[in-house]
């Protein structure tokens, strides 16, 4: 892994030439969707001259985003990206002592009934890793990262990919940092809006499975990602957890709450720690919705939204067209616009116009997505 000091100089130089490529940051969308969402996973900040500084990065186990959308007829795509900005910070390989899981709730109780778990071997001299994907303990795919040694072997109608891809996430990070954190000179929706993720690469695990594996067309499912690592004594530890974009980064301000949220199962997130996470969501919604000209959400409205946003899972009707973040999440879904709008008072409750104080960030989807598997764009040089 490149040294953090060298990476810091690289990023600062790019910022000064308006070619900024960055990854994530600090609370409230500032770590991208979920890039570096908790202190143990890392952080980045910007100074008054728009130069970026990087803190500790635990990249290979940091979940950036989870995607869930209709693929070809009768099939569904599930994807998880991890490790932001590998073309700047590295490392460019998955953790060989890690496990990457796409959890699927098939029955509506926020408990995983189906787990797709990917594990990786040590990288060879060229950085290529062998990987295996298991569904509830049964191997359904095995191959090598980036298809370096041919297409993976799969079974039960599954398609699988693991390796480097263009980061599909899009967001005006510096504009947000300036508006919300008062860092740097940029502001959201100023004359300099730009997508700071457009040139970044990430690691991705992409699966395409038959809808029958998910309960069939029309079944309501929930999906979230988790990462774990195994210590020298063979004990497994959970590192990160994510379903919908930005839930932990937006609503949990305290360091302890961020770390605890990554360890708390979705089925317990509304009630854990005497309702701390739910209360955090309510408090943030009430505060930022007060910026809207129509005034803040009522306590009942904020509580109702909290019960939609928690538990932190991507909810999806199998076979439908994804419209993230409330029904799956497609690669082009502008989840940041949706969430900025909702958080700042734009949920269309009766008597409200549905337009929040900050309805978006003026940044659009990337143009490098693929129309076929594995859907995420090819890596940038």
């Amino acid at each position: 892994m490149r040294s953090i000091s060298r990476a810091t100089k690289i990023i600062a130089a790019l910022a000064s030439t308006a070619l900024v490529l960055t990854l994530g940051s600090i609370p409230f969308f500032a770590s991208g969707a979920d890039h570096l969402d908790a202190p143990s996973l890392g952080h980045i900040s910007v100074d008054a001259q728009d130069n970026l500084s990087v803190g500790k990065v635990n990249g290979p186990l940091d979940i950036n985003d989870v995607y869930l959308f209709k693929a070809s007829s009768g099939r569904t795509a599930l994807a998880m990206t991890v490790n932001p900005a590998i073309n700047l910070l590295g490392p460019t390989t998955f953790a060989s002592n890690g496990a990457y899981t796409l959890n699927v709730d098939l029955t509506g109780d926020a408990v995983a009934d189906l787990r797709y778990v990917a594990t990786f071997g040590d990288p060879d001299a060229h950085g290529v890793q062998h990987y295996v994907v298991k569904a509830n303990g049964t191997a359904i795919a095995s191959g090598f990262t980036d298809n370096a040694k041919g297409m993976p072997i799969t079974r039960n109608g599954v398609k699988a990919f693991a390796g480097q891809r263009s980061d599909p996430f899009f967001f005006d990070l510096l504009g947000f940092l300036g508006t919300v954190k008062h860092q740097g000179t940029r502001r959201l929706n100023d004359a300099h809006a730009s997508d700071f993720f457009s040139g970044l690469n990430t690691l991705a695990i992409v699966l395409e499975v038959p809808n029958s594996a998910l309960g069939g067309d029309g079944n309501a499912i929930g999906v979230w990602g988790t990462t774990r690592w195994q210590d020298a004594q063979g004990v497994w530890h959970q590192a990160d957890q994510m379903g919908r974009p930005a839930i932990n980064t937006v609503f949990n301000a305290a360091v302890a709450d961020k770390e605890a949220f990554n360890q708390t199962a979705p089925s317990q997130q509304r009630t854990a720690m005497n309702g701390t996470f739910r209360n955090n969501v309510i408090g943030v919604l009430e505060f930022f919705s007060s910026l809207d000209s129509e005034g803040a959400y009522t306590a009942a409205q904020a509580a109702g939204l909290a019960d939609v946003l928690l538990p932190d899972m991507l909810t999806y009707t199998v076979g439908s067209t994804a419209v993230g973040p409330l029904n799956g999440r497609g690669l082009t879904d502008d989840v940041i616009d949706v969430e900025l709008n909702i958080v700042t008072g734009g949920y269309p409750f009766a008597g409200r116009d549905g337009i929040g104080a900050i309805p978006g960030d003026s940044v659009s989807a990337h143009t490098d997505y693929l129309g076929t598997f594995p859907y995420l764009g090819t890596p940038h040089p």
Side-chain angles (χ1 to χ4, degrees), residues 31 50 54 58 90 116 185 198 239 290 292 310 314 327 361:
S31 61
D50 293 337
V54 180
N58 187 11
Y116 293 109
T185 62
S198 62
S290 70
D292 192 3
L310 295 178
L314 283 176
N327 183 48
D361 68 347

Side-chain angles (χ1 to χ4, degrees), residues 1 5 19 34 56 74 88 124 130 167 169 182 201 216 218 242-243 248 261 266 272-273 284 298 326 349 377:
M1 180 175 180
S5 60
L19 295 175
D34 210 60
K56 171 186 174 183
L88 290 181
D124 66 16
H130 181 262
D167 193 334
F169 184 62
H182 306 295
N201 292 336
M242 179 196 179
N248 195 15
F261 191 80
M273 298 164 56
V284 168
T298 67
L326 298 182
F349 288 113

Side-chain angles (χ1 to χ4, degrees), residues 187-372:
R187 296 295 182 267
L188 279 174
N189 303 305
D190 62 15
H192 306 287
S194 60
D195 172 19
F196 297 145
F197 292 80
S198 62
L200 294 183
N201 292 336
T202 186
L203 294 174
I205 299 165
V206 187
L207 301 176
E208 187 182 295
V209 303
N211 289 352
S212 58
L214 305 175
D217 285 0
N219 191 37
I221 66 173
V223 172
W224 67 100
T226 52
T227 57
R228 297 181 299 150
W229 62 279
Q230 189 176 37
D231 64 25
Q233 288 71 46
V235 178
W236 286 94
H237 307 269
Q238 186 152 301
D240 200 6
Q241 178 173 252
M242 179 196 179
R244 290 194 177 101
I247 297 298
N248 195 15
T249 52
V250 170
F251 295 108
N252 295 314
V255 168
D257 291 353
K258 287 182 177 297
E259 300 292 0
F261 191 80
N262 278 337
Q263 308 296 320
T264 303
S267 61
Q268 302 172 25
Q269 288 169 355
R270 290 179 184 168
T271 58
M273 298 164 56
N274 295 317
T276 292
F277 303 135
R278 185 174 182 271
N279 290 335
N280 288 348
V281 174
I282 292 170
V284 168
L285 288 171
E286 289 178 335
F287 175 79
F288 281 101
S289 65
S290 70
L291 302 175
D292 192 3
S293 60
E294 298 172 308
Y297 292 134
T298 67
Q301 289 170 341
L305 276 176
D307 289 336
V308 171
L309 298 173
L310 295 178
D312 181 20
M313 307 183 302
L314 283 176
T315 52
Y316 177 61
T317 299
V318 176
S320 68
T321 299
V323 183
L326 298 182
N327 183 48
R329 181 183 177 187
L331 300 177
T332 62
D333 289 343
D334 201 334
V335 294
I336 291 299
D337 278 11
V338 173
E339 294 194 358
L340 278 171
N341 189 55
I342 288 176
V343 170
T344 61
Y347 193 82
F349 288 113
R352 301 185 73 95
D353 62 12
I355 302 174
I358 306 175
D361 68 347
S362 301
V363 167
S364 300
H366 297 173
T367 59
D368 62 350
Y369 309 127
L370 306 179
T372 57

